[in-house]
Each structure stands twice: as structure tokens, then as C-alpha cells.
Amino acid sequence: MFHAGRRRTALRRGLAALLCAGSCEIPGVHVLAVAPEQAPRTWERFETVGFVWPDVDNPFDPARVEVVGEFEAPDGRLLVMPGFVYRPFRRSLVGGFEKLAPTQRPYWMVRFTPDAPGSWHWRWVARLPEGEAASPWRAVAVAPPSPERHGFLRVSSEDPRYLRFDDGAPYFAVGENVSWYDGRGTYAYDDWFAKLAAQGANFARLWMPSWAFGLEWIERDGGGAVASSSLGNYHYRLDRAWQLDQVIEAAERHGIQIVLCLQNHGAFSLAYNSEWNDNPYRDRNGGPLARPREFFSDPEARALFRRRLRYVVARWGYAPNVLSFELWNEVDLAEQPGGTAVLDWHVEMARELKALDPYDHLVSTSTAYAIQQPLWLLPELDFTNLHFYAWNESFAFPLAPDFSTTPGFFLARRAPGRPALVAEIGVHSAGPAETVAADPEAIGFHDALWGGLFGEGFGTGMAWWWDNVVDPNDHYFHFGPVAEIARGVAFHREGFVVGGATATAPGAELRAQALR
């Protein structure tokens, strides 16, 4: 461990010495980067911190300042990670609510995860309109991985229905959505993750919405006028980014893989959970868009989102326990522009993510309706992300809450040759009260877990209503048996086919499912 206060003091002194050697008005670009005392191992985070001179008004805009870390592997490969502006905070729980206080001013950071043992070399490169500069190359010795480290998750080449880790270890996702926190903030995840891990669960899905981990939003003053906007400049939301750091690190400690959803539908919808009135992309709030649907085609909006992707990869791309970056939650509920604009947007942004990310995390997106659509077929998206609710305001699925075969019904519609996950499933979409009323014994919750397993998904069906149904009703015990039966099974090597079981019992109706 290293002490952030001493680290920053040393950096400031070093930078002052660098800049003031002679006149304190040395022109050009200057970089100071150090690696605080660490003993890095393969597939574990290695952090470098520093400063870049001159300061710029918006360090989140790569046109004003672009910082990258270059990391040369023992075999000569060069991995490049974007740098990002970081600010540390201190958290406390006061009256059941999380309070955050900054502990230092912002500074630059580059995070990196070595993927092989041996002698690595690294440096920073900074590019500004005033010029370019680099820090000296430095060496770092990387030890072999610890036994519990397996690398990043990949689509298996042996059976593309399933995932496996870099070292070949199997993975089957067991978990739920925990998309945002309650009043406890990050402390809520300390609670939820511990309960999930105690049952062997190893998956969670997070959002980055305005009310939790989102990087871009507005603040209004007492009169309702826009007081600030973080559109393209995330300074006022660095506390949210710090919170997401804590949650991803907590998930890692508990062995939980994260699907990180970058954009929720309500921000660009006029009909479904609409937040358009406070969206910083709206022209009335200083943004470039008159209508939500323009987000998919407006050049400025696309450039701003690519900037956000850069920050996301820079800050969280190091993490082996980020299973996937999910571009949208239920993009079909956003205002639709017509034509191929939504498809074109996904192609562009998925390619941008893959170009920025040296670790090639999986990329996905999701739709509200589990009907086959062109998005699923895009080669840029790595798995089919399905959502299903048995009841909503428009229809009731006839078998609910019996979900024993429902996930398999939808998983069979996956895009050919790729994995699929029922990443949201629930008995009722309207709310927790409606869900409990329709399914008081949690039959749907239970069956959705097993249905994902026997439906050839790479994970269980992932329940919604984590904070107001699953947790208060203590449904966690349902995860344990599924996790136990899947533990150690090399799904990606078994060549499973569906079927091969029958069951009968006097006076009872039984349905048997099997992977053979």
C-alpha cells in the first residue's frame, strides 16, 4: 500500500523541480510520472500517477491534452492505455447515507494490468497543441499470477455459446442486476456483494445513470436554471467515478464479474422513464440536440460520446473483472431516429471501444424486447443481451411466474455463433409490489436462474428488483444451488446439447431439463 498524501507531495515537488530548473518559465510540454511502491503480479492492477504541464481548462478533452501510458511487454509487444484525471475522496456513512469528501486536488493516472510475468518497461507520453513530451522509460518486474487470477473473459473458440478466462479456466455467470445504489452509496455494495459471494454468485450488472455513476449530467440552481453541466468535462462528477472505482474493486475482492452499462434509455427517451428535461445533451441545457433521437447522428454528440468512451476505458479498462462494456440499456426505448442510424452508431462506438481498449473487453448492448433484430447480428457486438418481463402494462406472458423454460425459449433466438445472456428477467416490469403480488413465492426468480443454465446461456437469468425484492425478502439462498452445480464445469469444452432427461411422480406435474 502507498500513502496518497505523500505521493502527491512528492509529485508536486518533483514537478516544481522539473519546471523551475533555471527560470520557472520553461516553455513546452513536461511530464512527470512515477509508480508508487507496488509489487505487481500478472493480471493485477499496476498504477502510475503524475502531472502534465501546462495545465488545460478541460483535461478530459483529448484535443486539448492526450496522455497515454506505453507498456512494453517482455516479448516486445507494446500495450497503450489512455490516461485519465483522477481525484481521491474519503467516504463515511452518516445516518445511513454515504458522504464523500475530496482529499486532494485532481491529478493524472494511468492504470494497467500486465498480462505476462517478466520485466516490463513503461513511460507516459503527453500530446498538447503546444507540443509532445514523454517521461523516461522505467522498468518494473512482474511476478507470475496468484492462483485465483485467471485473466480476462473471452468468447470460447471451442464453443462460442460460452466464455472462458485467458488461462482456459471456465466461467458460468450466476448473479443479478445491482444497477445502482440506495442511500448508502458504495456501502450498499459492500452489503450486497458479500451476500451474493456467500452463495457463490459471481456476476453483477451495473449502470452508469445520472443518479449514480454517470459522468455527464447537469445541476440546477434554486431557481431551476442550469448551474453546471459536465457534458464533455467530468470535473463535477469525479466523485461518481470514484464511487464506481470502489464498487468495481469490491466486486473484484468478492470474485464478481461486472457488466458495465454505459448509457440508460431514459436519458434519451420522451416516453419511457424520460430524463430528457435534464439531459446535458439537450440544447436548452447547453447541449447540441433539439430532440433525443439526434443523439445517434449528430456529429458533436457522437464526438462527445467517443470522449466519454475514452475516459471509461482509461479508468476501468484495466479491470479483468469487467466482463463487458454494454453500450446501451434497452436502446429500443430511446427515441428512434429511423433508418440505420442506431445500427451505424453501435458500429462506430463498438469499434471505438475496441480501438481504445488493449484488453479487448467484450462489447454488448441490450434491447427491451427479446425479438430478433438487426442489432444482434452486428459483428462488433460480442454477445446477445436479452431482457424479458412476463407482465407489463401491455401484456402478460401466459406461463408466468413459471419461468422454467422461458429463458431457453428466448436464448434460442440468439445471433448464430455467439454467446447469449438473459441479462434482465422479472415477473413484472411495473415495480416491486406488482412483482411480489404476481409471484409471492419467488417461483419466477428461482426458475429464471435455472432456466438460463439449461437454456444454453452463459449465465443464469439475471433478476431485477435487487434492492426492493431480492434483498428485503432474502432471496439470496436461491443462488447457492445453481452456483454449486455449475462450479468447475468447463461449459466451453463439454459440447453440451439440450435434453436427455425425463421425470415422473405420482400426483405431481414435473418438468425435467438437462444439458447432456
Side-chain angles (χ1 to χ4, degrees), residues 155 354 360-364 378-384 418-419:
V155 176
K354 293 176 184 292
D360 199 25
H361 286 82
L362 303 181
V363 178
S364 61
L378 291 178
E380 289 79 7
L381 300 179
D382 296 304
F383 65 87
T384 305
R418 68 179 63 178

Side-chain angles (χ1 to χ4, degrees), residues 330-500:
E330 300 181 351
V331 66
D332 47 343
L333 298 188
E335 189 182 43
Q336 300 297 294
T340 64
V342 172
L343 291 173
D344 296 342
W345 186 94
H346 277 82
V347 169
E348 177 183 343
M349 300 310 168
R351 289 178 177 174
E352 182 76 4
L353 271 174
K354 293 176 184 292
L356 289 166
D357 180 10
Y359 301 109
D360 199 25
H361 286 82
L362 303 181
V363 178
S364 61
T365 200
S366 66
T367 56
Y369 298 103
I371 55 175
Q372 289 175 316
Q373 46 195 295
L375 263 177
W376 295 4
L377 301 177
L378 291 178
E380 289 79 7
L381 300 179
D382 296 304
F383 65 87
T384 305
N385 187 325
L386 302 169
H387 294 187
F388 175 74
Y389 291 86
W391 275 289
N392 67 18
E393 292 77 6
S394 303
F395 68 84
F397 192 67
L399 295 181
D402 176 2
F403 278 179
S404 56
T405 59
T406 302
F409 173 76
F410 290 108
L411 286 162
R413 303 180 179 191
R414 77 182 70 212
R418 68 179 63 178
L421 183 71
V422 184
E424 270 190 42
I425 189 167
V427 170
H428 209 301
S429 67
E434 293 84 351
T435 298
V436 172
D439 186 21
E441 297 179 338
I443 294 171
F445 178 84
H446 168 274
D447 285 358
L449 293 172
W450 292 94
L453 172 69
F454 290 110
E456 302 173 274
F458 71 81
T460 58
M462 303 298 173
W464 195 249
W465 310 122
W466 66 96
D467 55 342
N468 41 32
V469 175
V470 176
D471 191 70
N473 291 286
D474 197 19
H475 288 337
Y476 295 103
F477 70 91
H478 289 286
F479 295 109
V482 189
E484 180 63 27
I485 200 172
R487 184 175 292 113
V489 177
F491 286 84
H492 66 291
R493 292 198 297 267
E494 291 290 351
F496 282 125
V497 294
V498 174

